[in-house]
Amino acid sequence: MPSLGRLHLITDTRPGRDPLAVLRAALPVARAELVVQVRVEDAATDREAYDLARRVVALCAPYGATCLVNDRLHVALAVGADGGHVGADDLPVGAARRVLGTGAVLGATAREPVAAAAAVAAGASYLGVGPCHPTSTKTGLPDPIGPAGVRAVAEAVPVPVIAIGGVTAGSVSALRAAGAYGVAVVGALSGAADPGRATAVLLGALTC
């Protein structure tokens, strides 16, 4: 199974955003510490998801960065990604593990210890935990759980916990202190004037 980097970049495919340009800036800085989660809007076709994921896999390969596909596990298999990530409304973790096989990275979303432990028992390699803070990059999310919520999950499971939701370089220290192995970001990189520099700042916060 590929090693798991501490900085997860979730592709931002909203209008006006260029996820591949952000990725090209981040990869030379983060290299194998970067995990790219290919996430597309619900309205996107499988072909659109496939085309983006195929390009992301090709960009990640020279740097040893891990590429996962969110939700659409058939696309992950089709492009030869390292694995996938499933949310609460996607395939159950156990079913997702059967689809991807034992050697793939499989992330699952959780926000409290009982569900987190169940996801790990079903085969999750790591957990995306949040939202930690308010965020505008995804609608319909539950209330933020803060560092205390991250700590509750991290203390309940033996796998890496990746904090997500409104994460900034300034909030990384508290999340790491709460037990987060790493963080997942969207706007912190896709909205940055210099995504390469923003990547370096986030990595610095993760490793200090």
Side-chain angles (χ1 to χ4, degrees), residues 70-98:
N70 285 22
D71 310 340
R72 307 189 193 204
L73 302 185
H74 58 300
V75 173
L77 292 172
V79 301
D82 297 299
H85 184 102
V86 291
D89 296 327
D90 302 319
L91 281 178
V93 176
R97 174 54 74 194
R98 289 193 293 275

Side-chain angles (χ1 to χ4, degrees), residues 12 14 16-24:
D12 190 348
R14 292 175 295 174
R17 303 296 174 114
D18 185 347
L20 294 177
V22 173
L23 181 56
R24 291 189 188 100

Side-chain angles (χ1 to χ4, degrees), residues 120-191:
V120 173
S125 312
Y126 75 89
L127 298 175
V129 178
C132 300
H133 305 291
T135 176
S136 61
T137 58
K138 192 174 183 180
T139 60
L141 294 173
D143 292 338
I145 61 173
V150 172
R151 182 183 301 278
V153 173
E155 291 178 346
V157 297
V159 301
V161 163
I162 305 297
I164 184 172
V167 175
T168 64
S171 64
V172 168
S173 177
L175 294 169
R176 289 278 286 135
Y181 173 81
V183 298
V185 298
V186 183
L189 290 184
S190 71

Side-chain angles (χ1 to χ4, degrees), residues 28-29 37 52 57 60 96 102 118 128 163 165 173 177 202 208:
V29 179
Q37 294 185 31
L52 175 59
V57 167
C60 286
T102 58
S173 177
L202 281 164
C208 69

Side-chain angles (χ1 to χ4, degrees), residues 16-43:
R17 303 296 174 114
D18 185 347
L20 294 177
V22 173
L23 181 56
R24 291 189 188 100
L27 275 167
V29 179
R31 305 184 71 88
E33 278 295 331
L34 191 66
V35 176
V36 185
Q37 294 185 31
V38 179
R39 185 171 77 187
V40 297
E41 302 300 317
D42 290 342

Side-chain angles (χ1 to χ4, degrees), residues 99-114:
V99 169
L100 291 176
T102 58
V105 176
L106 174 58
T109 298
R111 56 182 281 108
E112 51 83 20
V114 173

